[in-house]
Amino acid sequence: MLALMDSFQATIDADGRIEPRDAMPEGYRKTLIRQIAQHAHSEIIGMQPEGNWISRTPSLRRKAILMAKVQDEAGHGLYLYAAAETLGVDRAELLDLLHAGKQKYSSIFNYPTLTWADIGAIGWLVDGAAIVNQVPLCRCSYGPYARAMVRVCKEESFHQRQGFEILHTLCNGTEAQKAMAQDALDRWWWPSLMMFGPPDASSTHSEQSMAWGIKRHSNDELRQRFVDMTVPQADVLGIRVPDDGLRYDEETGHYSFTQPDFTELYEVVKGNGPCNEQRLAHRVKAHEDGAWVREAAAAYAGKQAQKKASAA
Ligand code: BYC
């Protein structure tokens, strides 16, 4: 066993990839299951705030784009559940844990989408934050997770542009449309900064996850990267990031900014956000309503397997 663990450490030290059949410490396996499951749950719960607007898009073109985006999120969930299953868990088990409130999903999806501009803000800010967080995960030490991230990131990049384009159109429209875009930025800015997790000093898992090559950057490093990327984009839109403390520091080449209220993050993660109950109840209902589809698929697979066995 010791020799096997030496080979795990040697692979990590050489920046190689751990594959499902390789030996790995139990903590590494558990950390990956936790993070990948949370990530998968976020993708499928993340369909709800945007799905809310499919029947109310301002045009047919916008409807087709939004439907494609929401379907992509379902696809991301599927790649991620499949990646988690390579670690020896079953996706049904993970969904049960989500439904029982025993596994988390991203805090960001517990906020409501009140206006059409919120759909733009989700694409621009939330998918923008997702890209900053997930591009380094393409180099995660666990092969199946890293490979899933490559495709996810390509799709997120389209999502981010479509969000920016929605806001760009609004910002170049009437005064009321521009005000709607500003209001969306005001409400989504702070929750977007919270997506990156607690500050480094309070992050329970970062140090170990970075030592194992699961995370490549700390929460604060990625939050800074997001601010540096996003503020110039807000300038292009002509709307204002709602932070009086925001300054560009010529010396460091970075923006200094006000940290979000992390007590709000902890409250939302505990289940006390504006939409937690609604999101979970909707998810459980969708799961129950879909039971017949899963049963039919399992019955069909069983029949096919029987046919194959009797033909052999
Ligand atoms: N929300 O030690 P820390 C998307 C938890 S999907 C909720 O720093 P870690 C998209 C954390 O889990 C977006 N919980 O943790 C989809 C831990 O609790 P436990 C999702 C949070 O894992 C559809 C505790 O706080 N992206 O982009 O090292 C449409 C301490 O934190 C949050 C991913 O999941 C939060 N914001 O770092 C559009 C990416 N932050 O487990 C877009 C993969 C922290 O000990 N995940 N917690 O009970 C990650 O990169 C990392 O897991 C995190 C947290 C950076 C999120």
Side-chain angles (χ1 to χ4, degrees), residues 168-191:
H168 192 264
T169 305
L170 291 174
C171 287
N172 288 286
T174 63
E175 277 307 307
Q177 285 172 321
K178 191 164 181 186
M180 195 196 286
Q182 180 65 60
D183 169 62
L185 174 56
D186 291 347
R187 283 181 292 107
W188 288 91
W189 176 253
W190 302 107

Side-chain angles (χ1 to χ4, degrees), residues 34-36 38-40 42-47 50 69 73 76 104-109 122 126-127 129-131 133-134 137 145 156 159 191 194-199 202-206 209 215 219 222 265-266 269:
R34 177 187 65 80
Q35 178 166 328
I36 301 173
Q38 278 182 17
H39 195 164
S42 304
E43 299 284 356
I44 60 165
I45 297 260
M47 295 166 76
E50 292 179 289
K69 179 183 191 287
E73 309 302 355
H76 297 174
K104 299 187 165 81
Y105 58 89
S106 180
S107 52
I108 193 75
F109 301 117
I122 290 189
V126 176
D127 288 280
I131 293 169
N133 170 270
Q134 289 168 28
L137 291 175
Y145 191 27
E156 298 294 18
H159 296 168
M194 291 173 208
M195 279 179 76
F196 294 92
S202 322
S203 165
T204 354
H205 304 289
S206 284
S209 288
K215 282 169 87 160
N219 299 353
L222 293 177
L265 170 67
Y266 299 131
V269 171

Side-chain angles (χ1 to χ4, degrees), residues 111 190-200 202 219-220 223 257-270:
Y111 292 86
W190 302 107
S192 299
L193 293 184
M194 291 173 208
M195 279 179 76
F196 294 92
D200 291 352
S202 322
N219 299 353
D220 286 334
R223 202 172 353 257
F257 62 98
T258 310
Q259 292 295 324
D261 173 6
F262 287 108
T263 52
E264 179 177 320
L265 170 67
Y266 299 131
E267 278 306 307
V268 175
V269 171
K270 261 197 267 167

Side-chain angles (χ1 to χ4, degrees), residues 105-292:
Y105 58 89
S106 180
S107 52
I108 193 75
F109 301 117
N110 292 306
Y111 292 86
T113 40
L114 304 177
T115 69
W116 171 247
D118 288 6
I119 300 304
I122 290 189
W124 174 41
L125 298 174
V126 176
D127 288 280
I131 293 169
V132 170
N133 170 270
Q134 289 168 28
V135 165
L137 291 175
C138 298
R139 293 188 295 110
C140 166
S141 60
Y142 188 59
Y145 191 27
R147 288 189 287 274
M149 280 302 106
V150 173
R151 182 152 172 198
V152 169
C153 284
K154 284 189 182 149
E155 292 175 355
E156 298 294 18
S157 162
F158 151 70
H159 296 168
Q160 201 253 359
R161 281 162 201 224
Q162 70 84 37
F164 187 83
E165 200 245 348
I166 290 175
L167 291 178
H168 192 264
T169 305
L170 291 174
C171 287
N172 288 286
T174 63
E175 277 307 307
Q177 285 172 321
K178 191 164 181 186
M180 195 196 286
Q182 180 65 60
D183 169 62
L185 174 56
D186 291 347
R187 283 181 292 107
W188 288 91
W189 176 253
W190 302 107
S192 299
L193 293 184
M194 291 173 208
M195 279 179 76
F196 294 92
D200 291 352
S202 322
S203 165
T204 354
H205 304 289
S206 284
E207 199 181 330
Q208 181 61 71
S209 288
M210 286 170 74
W212 275 330
I214 296 174
K215 282 169 87 160
R216 297 289 178 172
H217 305 280
S218 76
N219 299 353
D220 286 334
E221 279 167 9
L222 293 177
R223 202 172 353 257
Q224 178 71 56
R225 201 175 275 191
F226 171 75
V227 172
D228 289 343
M229 176 185 94
T230 309
V231 174
Q233 296 173 351
D235 292 343
V236 171
L237 292 174
I239 47 182
R240 184 184 165 277
V241 171
D243 177 1
D244 292 335
L246 193 66
R247 301 266 178 286
Y248 184 69
D249 184 337
E250 294 282 350
E251 258 176 44
T252 62
H254 296 292
Y255 285 89
S256 52
F257 62 98
T258 310
Q259 292 295 324
D261 173 6
F262 287 108
T263 52
E264 179 177 320
L265 170 67
Y266 299 131
E267 278 306 307
V268 175
V269 171
K270 261 197 267 167
N272 301 327
C275 299
N276 294 61
E277 265 179 47
Q278 181 191 333
R279 299 287 185 245
L280 211 53
H282 189 81
R283 167 96 272 286
V284 170
K285 182 174 184 310
H287 189 71
E288 285 168 358
D289 290 350
W292 69 272

Side-chain angles (χ1 to χ4, degrees), residues 53-68:
W53 275 89
I54 289 176
S55 61
R56 295 181 286 162
T57 53
S59 71
L60 188 58
R61 172 177 170 266
R62 295 286 187 203
K63 192 191 294 283
I65 296 171
L66 187 59
M67 282 173 66

